[in-house]
C-alpha cells in the first residue's frame, strides 16, 4: 500500500462512526461525536474534534475544539443554531447526564463552553432524545434516562414508562429508576431559560432512538417503538397540539428505530433505513406526503447500503446527504434477553439521494468538472470564485474516497 492509500485508509478508519451529530452549512457537512465498535466494545469518539466534509470536493478536514471540553458522550443530542453547536445530555463515563455544552463554529479557534446558570427546570438526565430548532429555540423530545422516585411520582404513567429491568436502591429502598419519556422541553439560548410547555392532543408514547424532523412550525416524530407499522406524530409548535397520523397497514413502512427522517419539501418527509422490528438493518426509502397523509415506497440506487444509526441531512437542490452508521447491526433474541451482535460494520462513506431534477447550472458544472481536460483553456477564463468551485468538483470526480487534508 502506497503512502497516499495508507493515508486514505487511516482517514476512513477515524471517520467510521454511529449515532453521531451531523448538519450541513454552506455545502459543508459537519460531523461530531458518536461511537464505533472495536473488538466487540463500544468506543465513544473524542469530543474535542469535529470533522468537516466539503461536499463540492468530497475532501475532509478535522478541527480541534479546545476549552471546557464536553465529556466523551454517547447518545447525546446535537443541534446547530446561528453558527453555534449545542450538545445536550447523553451518557458520559459516570452515567446519564443533563449537562449542556456549546461551541461557536464561526470562530477561527473553536472553544467548548459549558452552559451554566440557566433558569427554569433542566430536563432529567437522558440519551437517545431528539431536537427541533425553531425560532431560535431548542425543543427537545423524548429519550431514555433516569429519574428519582420523587420525580417519577410527580410524572404521569403516560409520559414516563419505567424500564422494569433497571433501577437503583439504597438497601431495600428504591431511589432511582430508568425509563423512556415523551416530554417536550424548550431551551432559549438568548435568555438561558428552560421551560416545559403544556401539550394537548394524542402524544406519542414514550420513546428513544426515534427520528424527528421540522417543517415550518410543525415538528414530526416517528419510530423508536415496537409497532408493526411505522407511526407518525406531529406537534404544532405554536399551539403545542399533537396530531397522530392514521395510515392503512397495507401501505405503511415496517416499524423501526434508529432511522432518519429528512424534510425535502414543504410537505414531504424522506425516511431511510433503521433497525426493523424484525431485528434487521433496513435499506428501504419511503416518502410521506404530509398533506395527503400518504406513504410512497421509493426505488433508489443505494440498495447495497442498508444503514442504522446514520445521519441524513438536507443538502443543496433538496439532496439527502447520508453519512456513517452501521450496515449490519443485528439483534440476537431469545426468551431471556435481547442482545446486539458483537460484529458490526461501521461506515465512513458519504452518499446522496437525489429527490428532484438537478438545476441546469449544476448539470453544466458537473459536466465541465468530469471533462476538465477538454475545457482546460476555457477554465482559465472563469471568475476566481466559480473556478474554485469547479476545481473542487474536479477533485470530487477524480476520487470517490475521502482524503485527509488536516
Amino acid at each position: 500500500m502506497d503512502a497516499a492509500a495508507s493515508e486514505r485508509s487511516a482517514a476512513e478508519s477515524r471517520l467510521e462512526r454511529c449515532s453521531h451529530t451531523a448538519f450541513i452549512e454552506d455545502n459543508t457537512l459537519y460531523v461530531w461525536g458518536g461511537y464505533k465498535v472495536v473488538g466487540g466494545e463500544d468506543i465513544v469518539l473524542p469530543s474535542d474534534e469535529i470533522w468537516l466534509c466539503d461536499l463540492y470536493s468530497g475532501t475532509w478536514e478535522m478541527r480541534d475544539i479546545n476549552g471546557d471540553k464536553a465529556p466523551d458522550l454517547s447518545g447525546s443530542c446535537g443541534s446547530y443554531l446561528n453558527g453555534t453547536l449545542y450538545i445536550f445530555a447523553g451518557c458520559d463515563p459516570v452515567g446519564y447526564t443533563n449537562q449542556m455544552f456549546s461551541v461557536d463554529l464561526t470562530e477561527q479557534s473553536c472553544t467548548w463552553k459549558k452552559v451554566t446558570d440557566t433558569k427554569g427546570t433542566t430536563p432529567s438526565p437522558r440519551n437517545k432524545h431528539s431536537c427541533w430548532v425553531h425560532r431560535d429555540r431548542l425543543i427537545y423530545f423524548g429519550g431514555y434516562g433516569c429519574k428519582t422516585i420523587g420525580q417519577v411520582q410527580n410524572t404521569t404513567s403516560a409520559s414516563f414508562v419505567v424500564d422494569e429491568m433497571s433501577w437503583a436502591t439504597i438497601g431495600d429502598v428504591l431511589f432511582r429508576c430508568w425509563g423512556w419519556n415523551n416530554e417536550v422541553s424548550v431551551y432559549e439560548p438568548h435568555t438561558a431559560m428552560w421551560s416545559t410547555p403544556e401539550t394537548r392532543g394524542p402524544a406519542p408514547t414514550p420513546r428513544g432512538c426515534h427520528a424527528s424532523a421540522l417543517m415550518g412550525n410543525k415538528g414530526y416524530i416517528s419510530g423508536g417503538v415496537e409497532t408493526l407499522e411505522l407511526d407518525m406524530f406531529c406537534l404544532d409548535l405554536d399551539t403545542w397540539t399533537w396530531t397522530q397520523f392514521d395510515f392503512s397497514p397495507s401501505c405503511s413502512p415496517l416499524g423501526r428505530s434508529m432511522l432518519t427522517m429528512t424534510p425535502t419539501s414543504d410537505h414531504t418527509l424522506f425516511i431511510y433505513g433503521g433497525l426493523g422490528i424484525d431485528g434487521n438493518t433496513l435499506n428501504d426509502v419511503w416518502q410521506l406526503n404530509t398533506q395527503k397523509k400518504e406513504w410512497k415506497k421509493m426505488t433508489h440506487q443505494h440498495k447495497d447500503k442498508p444503514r442504522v444509526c446514520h445521519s441524513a441531512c438536507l443538502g443543496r437542490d433538496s439532496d439527502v446527504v447520508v453519512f456513517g452508521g452501521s450496515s449490519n447491526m443485528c439483534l440476537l433474541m431469545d426468551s431471556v434477553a435481547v442482545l446486539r451482535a458483537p460484529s458490526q460494520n461501521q461506515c465512513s462513506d458519504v452518499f446522496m439521494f437525489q429527490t428532484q431534477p438537478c438545476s441546469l447550472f449544476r448539470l453544466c458544472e458537473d459536466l465541465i468538472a468530469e471533462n476538465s481536460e477538454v475545457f482546460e483553456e476555457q477554465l482559465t477564463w472563469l471568475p476566481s470564485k466559480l473556478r474554485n468551485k469547479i476545481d473542487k468538483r474536479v477533485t470530487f470526480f477524480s476520487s470517490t474516497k475521502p482524503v485527509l487534508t488536516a
Side-chain angles (χ1 to χ4, degrees):
M1 183 182 293
D2 60 27
S6 178
E7 189 175 8
R8 282 197 299 270
S9 178
E12 290 171 11
S13 178
R14 293 182 69 184
L15 286 166
E16 292 171 357
R17 64 193 63 210
C18 290
S19 300
H20 48 279
T21 289
F23 60 90
I24 292 176
E25 176 74 6
D26 193 24
N27 212 43
T28 297
L29 174 67
Y30 291 73
V31 175
W32 177 86
Y35 76 91
K36 66 186 298 185
V37 178
V38 179
E41 303 241 340
D42 289 357
I43 304 299
V44 179
L45 295 170
S47 66
D48 58 358
E49 62 183 38
I50 188 167
W51 292 83
L52 285 69
C53 178
D54 185 318
L55 295 176
Y56 285 115
S57 65
T59 57
W60 287 90
E61 67 169 305
M62 190 269 285
R63 290 185 188 172
D64 292 320
I65 310 179
N66 304 305
D68 188 6
K69 94 178 186 81
D72 297 337
L73 295 165
S74 65
S76 59
C77 183
S79 309
Y80 182 71
L81 172 63
N82 298 331
T84 297
L85 173 63
Y86 293 86
I87 301 296
F88 174 63
C91 279
D92 61 22
V94 178
Y96 289 85
T97 179
N98 60 355
Q99 296 183 102
M100 177 179 280
F101 293 82
S102 68
V103 54
D104 185 345
L105 297 175
T106 65
E107 296 178 349
Q108 190 69 28
S109 177
C110 297
T111 304
W112 279 118
K113 295 178 182 177
K114 186 175 181 180
V115 177
T116 58
D117 300 323
T118 60
K119 310 177 190 71
T121 302
T122 304
S124 58
R126 64 195 59 196
N127 71 354
K128 300 178 175 65
H129 47 301
S130 63
C131 181
W132 301 298
V133 179
H134 180 249
R135 293 183 182 168
D136 293 336
R137 301 171 297 173
L138 307 178
I139 305 174
Y140 295 95
F141 171 83
Y144 178 92
C146 57
K147 290 181 182 288
T148 65
I149 292 304
Q151 290 174 320
V152 173
Q153 290 172 341
N154 291 324
T155 303
T156 66
S157 59
S159 61
F160 186 79
V161 174
V162 174
D163 182 354
E164 297 182 359
M165 299 296 291
S166 183
W167 59 80
T169 61
I170 298 179
D172 294 330
V173 179
L174 180 66
F175 78 97
R176 180 175 296 168
C177 57
W178 283 257
W180 297 265
N181 75 80
N182 63 357
E183 298 162 354
V184 177
S185 303
V186 179
Y187 180 70
E188 301 185 51
H190 66 285
T191 61
M193 172 68 77
W194 282 103
S195 61
T196 305
E198 183 176 343
T199 62
R200 300 177 293 172
T205 54
R207 64 189 66 200
C209 297
H210 52 276
S212 68
L214 179 74
M215 288 199 302
N217 68 332
K218 292 181 171 59
Y220 292 83
I221 293 293
S222 183
V225 290
E226 293 186 9
T227 56
L228 188 59
E229 292 89 28
L230 189 62
D231 60 3
M232 183 69 66
F233 292 82
C234 171
L235 179 62
D236 187 308
L237 302 179
D238 292 328
T239 65
W240 302 111
T241 302
W242 284 106
T243 302
Q244 181 177 8
F245 286 26
D246 293 321
F247 303 111
S248 169
S250 62
C251 57
S252 295
L254 180 71
R256 64 194 70 193
S257 59
M258 306 180 220
L259 65 157
T260 53
M261 179 165 63
T262 311
T264 55
S265 75
D266 292 340
H267 52 80
T268 305
L269 293 171
F270 184 98
I271 304 288
Y272 175 56
L275 186 68
I277 59 168
D278 57 2
N280 293 316
T281 300
L282 303 175
N283 65 353
D284 53 344
V285 170
W286 294 76
Q287 285 190 340
L288 174 66
N289 184 310
T290 57
Q291 290 180 332
K292 298 180 179 179
K293 296 181 172 58
E294 291 179 353
W295 286 110
K296 181 180 181 182
K297 189 172 184 179
M298 310 299 293
T299 57
H300 64 91
Q301 74 273 34
H302 297 305
K303 286 287 188 180
D304 61 333
K305 298 180 186 295
R307 286 294 185 272
V308 62
C309 297
H310 53 292
S311 59
C313 306
L314 187 65
R316 64 171 181 160
D317 297 333
S318 296
D319 286 348
V320 175
V321 181
V322 176
F323 170 74
S326 171
S327 63
N328 67 340
M329 180 184 287
C330 293
L331 294 184
L332 308 178
M333 305 182 191
D334 61 26
S335 59
V336 178
V338 177
L339 301 173
R340 194 182 66 199
S343 176
Q344 291 190 61
N345 180 24
Q346 256 84 62
C347 304
S348 62
D349 55 338
V350 178
F351 58 95
M352 302 183 189
F353 292 94
Q354 183 181 331
T355 65
Q356 66 179 29
C358 289
S359 65
L360 179 59
F361 178 83
R362 184 171 175 180
L363 290 171
C364 293
E365 181 182 82
D366 287 352
L367 174 68
I368 294 170
E370 287 187 273
N371 301 276
S372 57
E373 68 284 351
V374 177
F375 299 100
E376 188 172 354
E377 180 182 355
Q378 288 85 348
L379 286 172
T380 63
W381 305 343
L382 296 176
S384 59
K385 187 175 180 179
L386 181 57
R387 174 64 189 270
N388 182 53
K389 186 182 292 187
I390 296 294
D391 286 345
K392 287 182 177 181
R393 295 304 288 163
V394 171
T395 300
F396 176 84
F397 287 113
S398 66
S399 174
T400 58
K401 294 185 176 293
V403 177
L404 186 65
T405 60

